[in-house]
């Protein structure tokens, strides 16, 4: 889970502004103008949440450290350090391994204002300083570090389409420049750990890349096959190829270079790594974090030059979905389990079978009414985890799996309208209570069995899980009443008391006047 999506406490205890604080506060940027100001109140409720994890028998938990909570400016914020110290210590006390992400999108706003954020190469050194502080303060207890989570989104949605913070629309150049600096920053942090900390802390440093699978529309059509390959290279390969092989995928260099030439530019819009940078970046990955949610069919589609230079036009392809694919209500997330196994095998063959930790996998729902009996989520986890287990039998080196996500949280530009959590969070209630969905019991049984026993037993898991969610539904249905009662005690009671005191005072005045 990421800091901005769950912690809340956005301006508490010395925390500085992040680009997401600034972005979400601009009207019209987030659905319903939601913000992460309070979110799940994880800053205050982390002990309760760790107890939920303990009950589920989770053995690891991935979270991100908020850069502006630790370094709001020039000075270290010790209150921020204490919060993460307490979180890490309590996880370890409960035998839950912390996996820490250093950057899950919340750049300090001051660095955006001063330098233009990831458009500026100076971020490489600033990020390295922040990472070094984390290694120094937490590295004696944290053994798994992820530099960046889903850099594709940071680059494309932050600097190309502007859908995400900082909301820049630098079409055709912004995403490539941001990605270039992110890759350099990742490599520098890996080397910092390798040189200064690895021998005493014995930890691992990786990067987490999110990728959908791309399947050719026509598997007998060479152009579709190449388009599907291009889809994945422009998605995951953009970051994985430099980290594993030292340079961008050849197909990216070819396509962006050709398009840039057709647009009359003297150089490619895709930046170039020097020979020294290539050797410095290559091999900076102890493990690969992999986020995966869905699949697309891909076909060749030519974007003639002059249509407008953009990352999307550079790829010369179109994405399609099969209307038969299950769709729980999110416009982008379809359940296509077989794509997961293919993606895992692609990673194995392309990058020399690296150690993989699945860092994100899950399914959301968009519902007007609340139903905690999330059959589709149980089915999704069963199907996707099964495909991952098949990939492991294929020889893919998967070491761990993390479901996304423990709690419903702030889902970026979708606000609170999209819910991925195993636990339902009632955002209308100021206490942000958590209610288990059926998938909590189901996932707990997957953990205890470390997979799936026979079909009959798995069906009984689902039945028992649905029985538990019915009682949770009743609790949640009563929640608006509880909220109403809170309102009565917090607003109505003090108001009535104040009125009583005023009336008593007026009555006393009349009595005293009568006596005089």
């Amino acid at each position: 889970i990421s800091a901005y999506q769950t912690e809340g406490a956005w301006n508490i205890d010395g925390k500085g502004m992040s680009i997401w604080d600034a972005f979400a506060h601009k009207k019209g940027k987030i659905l319903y103008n939601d913000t992460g100001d309070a979110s799940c109140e994880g800053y205050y409720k982390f002990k309760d949440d760790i107890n939920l994890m303990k009950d589920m028998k989770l053995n690891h938990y991935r979270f991100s450290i908020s850069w502006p909570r630790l370094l709001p400016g020039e000075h270290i914020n010790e209150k921020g350090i204490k919060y993460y110290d307490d979180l890490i210590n309590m996880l370890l006390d409960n035998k839950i391994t912390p996996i820490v992400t250093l950057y899950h999108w919340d750049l300090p706003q001051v660095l955006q204002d001063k330098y233009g954020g990831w458009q500026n190469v100076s971020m490489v050194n600033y990020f390295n300083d922040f990472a070094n502080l984390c290694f120094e303060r937490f590295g004696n207890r944290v053994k798994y570090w992820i530099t960046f989570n889903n850099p594709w989104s940071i680059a494309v949605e932050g600097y190309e389409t502007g859908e995400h913070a900082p909301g820049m629309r630098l079409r055709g150049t912004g995403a490539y420049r941001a990605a270039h600096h992110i890759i350099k920053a990742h490599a520098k942090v890996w080397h910092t750990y390798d040189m200064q900390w690895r021998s005493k802390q014995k930890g691992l440093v990786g990067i987490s890349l999110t990728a959908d699978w791309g399947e050719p529309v026509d598997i007998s059509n060479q152009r579709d096959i190449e388009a599907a390959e291009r889809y994945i290279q422009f998605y995951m390969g953009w970051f994985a190829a430099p980290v594993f092989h030292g340079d961008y995928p050849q197909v990216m260099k070819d396509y962006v270079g050709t398009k840039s030439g057709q647009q009359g530019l003297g150089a490619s819009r895709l930046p170039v790594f020097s020979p020294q940078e290539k050797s410095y970046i290559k091999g900076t990955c102890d493990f690969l974090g992999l986020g995966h949610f869905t699949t697309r069919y891909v076909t060749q589609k030519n974007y003639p030059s002059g249509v407008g230079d953009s990352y999307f036009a550079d790829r010369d392809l179109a994405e399609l979905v099969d209307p038969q694919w299950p769709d729980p209500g999110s416009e982008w997330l379809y359940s296509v389990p077989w794509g997961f196994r293919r993606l895992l095998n692609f990673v194995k063959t392309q990058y020399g079978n690296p150690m993989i930790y699945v860092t994100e996998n899950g399914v959301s729902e968009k519902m007007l009414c609340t139903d905690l009996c999330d059959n589709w989520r149980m089915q999704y986890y069963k199907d996707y985890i099964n495909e991952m287990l098949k990939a492991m039998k294929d020889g893919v080196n998967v070491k761990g799996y993390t479901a996304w996500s423990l709690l419903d949280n702030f889902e970026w530009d979708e606000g609170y309208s999209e819910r991925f959590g195993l636990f339902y969070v009632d955002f209308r209630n100021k206490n942000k209570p958590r209610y288990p969905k059926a998938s909590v019991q189901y996932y707990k049984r997957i953990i205890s069995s470390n997979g799936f026993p026979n079909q009959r037993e798995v069906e009984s898991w689902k039945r028992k899980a649905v029985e538990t969610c019915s009682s949770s539904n009743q609790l949640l249905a009563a929640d608006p009443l509880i909220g109403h009662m809170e309102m009565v005690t917090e607003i109505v009671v003090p108001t009535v008391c104040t009125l009583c005191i005023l009336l008593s005072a007026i009555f006393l005045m009349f009595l005293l006047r009568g006596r005089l």
Side-chain angles (χ1 to χ4, degrees):
I1 282 178
S2 84
Y4 187 74
Q5 287 180 284
T6 55
E7 280 180 7
W10 73 282
N11 59 354
I12 299 293
D13 288 348
K15 180 186 166 294
M17 281 275 279
S18 80
I19 54 172
W20 271 95
D21 292 319
F23 187 73
H25 286 165
K26 290 176 186 164
K27 289 279 177 277
K29 296 294 184 187
I30 312 294
L31 196 63
Y32 306 128
N33 291 313
D34 288 337
T35 73
D37 291 1
S39 187
C40 306
E41 298 285 20
Y43 188 73
Y44 303 106
K45 294 178 75 79
F46 74 90
K47 290 176 183 171
D48 298 340
D49 291 337
I50 291 173
N51 284 328
L52 297 179
M53 296 176 215
K54 185 183 176 184
D55 181 61
M56 287 178 73
K57 300 194 166 47
L58 294 188
N59 57 16
H60 65 272
Y61 176 62
R62 185 172 80 97
F63 64 93
S64 78
I65 288 179
S66 166
W67 185 346
R69 198 178 290 287
L70 289 201
L71 284 170
E74 299 295 311
H75 305 291
I76 297 166
N77 179 22
E78 291 296 338
K79 285 184 177 174
I81 298 274
K82 184 183 183 313
Y83 166 69
Y84 291 113
D85 265 337
D86 292 346
L87 174 60
I88 291 163
N89 290 341
M90 189 173 172
L91 285 167
L92 291 169
D93 288 346
N94 287 284
K95 299 186 171 47
I96 301 167
T97 302
I99 298 175
V100 177
T101 304
L102 292 166
Y103 190 84
H104 201 137
W105 309 0
D106 49 355
L107 185 77
Q109 181 63 32
V110 64
L111 296 179
Q112 184 63 40
D113 292 340
K114 207 168 176 183
Y115 303 103
W118 290 106
Q119 292 301 291
N120 194 312
V121 72
S122 63
M123 287 312 99
V124 174
N125 287 331
Y126 282 111
F127 181 63
N128 188 62
D129 291 344
F130 164 62
N132 202 39
L133 171 67
C134 293
F135 297 150
E136 181 190 330
R137 295 299 190 95
F138 311 123
N140 60 333
R141 288 154 292 154
V142 174
K143 303 304 171 193
Y144 295 90
W145 296 98
I146 291 166
T147 52
F148 291 89
N149 184 78
N150 192 357
W152 183 94
S153 268
I154 302 165
V156 173
E157 293 172 316
Y159 295 91
E160 168 91 20
T161 67
E163 296 165 84
H164 284 183
M168 298 178 81
R169 292 192 177 94
L170 307 167
R171 286 167 63 86
T173 58
Y176 296 132
R177 194 179 295 121
H180 202 66
H181 298 146
I182 285 166
I183 292 162
K184 287 183 179 183
H186 160 80
K188 179 149 193 168
V189 166
W190 186 91
H191 282 287
T192 295
Y193 190 83
D194 199 50
M195 302 282 288
Q196 294 179 35
W197 303 104
R198 192 187 296 276
S199 60
K200 41 185 180 246
Q201 294 183 353
K202 307 279 191 292
L204 301 172
V205 177
I207 190 167
S208 180
L209 307 179
T210 299
D212 299 341
W213 176 247
E215 182 75 8
V217 167
D218 179 356
I219 55 166
S220 63
N221 182 327
Q222 189 58 31
R223 290 175 66 188
D224 280 3
I225 293 166
E226 287 169 10
E229 165 89 10
R230 215 160 45 245
Y231 174 79
I232 297 166
Q233 293 295 0
F234 266 79
Y235 206 150
M236 181 169 66
W238 185 5
F239 301 91
V243 164
F244 287 104
H245 302 316
D247 200 3
Y248 292 121
Q250 190 60 43
V251 72
M252 274 191 91
K253 295 198 284 184
D254 293 346
Y255 269 69
V256 183
T258 302
K259 298 253 181 186
S260 302
Q262 289 167 351
Q263 287 147 7
L265 301 172
S268 175
R269 285 180 281 102
L270 184 70
V272 176
F273 291 117
S274 70
Q276 293 84 355
E277 285 169 340
K278 287 177 189 177
S279 58
Y280 184 74
I281 293 163
K282 184 179 178 178
T284 55
C285 205
D286 302 325
F287 65 89
L288 177 66
L290 188 63
H292 174 74
F293 295 93
T294 191
T295 283
R296 290 289 182 270
Y297 279 122
V298 181
T299 188
Q300 165 79 24
K301 181 184 177 181
N302 289 340
Y303 286 87
S305 61
V307 165
D309 49 343
S310 82
Y311 160 83
F312 294 100
D314 286 342
R315 304 176 306 167
D316 273 352
L317 58 85
E319 301 171 44
L320 306 162
V321 296
D322 183 337
Q324 302 292 307
W325 288 344
D327 162 24
S330 220
E331 66 263 15
W332 62 276
L333 208 171
Y334 297 81
S335 180
V336 195
W338 50 261
F340 194 19
R341 183 182 183 183
R342 293 182 193 192
L343 179 69
L344 287 164
N345 273 287
F346 177 88
V347 169
K348 175 190 161 196
T349 53
Q350 283 273 314
Y351 309 118
N353 204 13
M355 193 157 68
I356 295 171
Y357 284 86
V358 176
T359 45
E360 292 185 16
N361 177 238
V363 65
S364 60
E365 75 263 16
K366 283 192 166 184
M367 295 182 305
L368 294 171
C369 60
T370 307
D371 182 7
L372 301 179
C373 300
D374 51 349
N375 280 303
W376 64 91
R377 185 172 283 109
M378 291 190 278
Q379 192 61 42
Y380 180 98
Y381 280 128
K382 180 186 174 220
D383 294 343
Y384 271 76
I385 291 169
N386 246 331
E387 290 297 318
M388 179 185 74
L389 294 170
K390 288 178 195 172
M392 290 167 76
K393 285 194 169 176
D394 300 335
V396 180
N397 190 13
V398 178
K399 292 291 185 190
Y401 174 92
T402 311
W404 182 269
S405 58
L406 182 72
L407 307 173
D408 289 339
N409 53 55
F410 178 83
E411 200 45 54
W412 309 111
D413 54 319
E414 298 292 336
Y416 298 103
S417 70
E418 198 161 333
R419 293 171 174 268
F420 277 90
L422 294 165
F423 285 89
Y424 176 90
V425 178
D426 186 357
F427 294 107
R428 301 161 305 171
N429 185 317
K430 75 175 181 65
N431 294 320
K432 308 294 188 284
R434 284 74 159 127
Y435 295 93
K437 300 176 191 176
S439 49
V440 168
Q441 290 302 322
Y442 190 73
Y443 191 59
K444 187 176 172 178
R445 287 186 165 96
I446 297 172
I447 293 167
S448 61
S449 300
N450 203 25
F452 303 96
N454 61 64
Q455 185 63 31
R456 192 183 305 146
E457 181 143 354
V458 176
E459 284 305 315
S460 87
W461 292 358
K462 198 176 274 188
R463 270 198 314 280
K464 286 172 185 166
V466 170
E467 283 165 19
T468 59
C469 71
S470 304
S471 56
S472 298
N473 266 338
Q474 287 164 3
L475 276 173
L476 186 54
D479 190 49
L481 296 174
I482 295 162
H484 183 66
M485 284 160 67
E486 278 175 3
M487 191 187 78
V488 167
T489 53
E490 286 177 19
I491 299 166
V492 179
V493 172
T495 308
V496 170
C497 289
T498 309
L499 279 170
C500 288
I501 292 162
L502 278 169
L503 286 168
S504 302
I506 292 162
F507 184 63
L508 201 64
M509 273 171 58
F510 277 118
L511 273 176
L512 289 169
R513 271 188 182 171
R515 292 268 174 96
L516 287 168

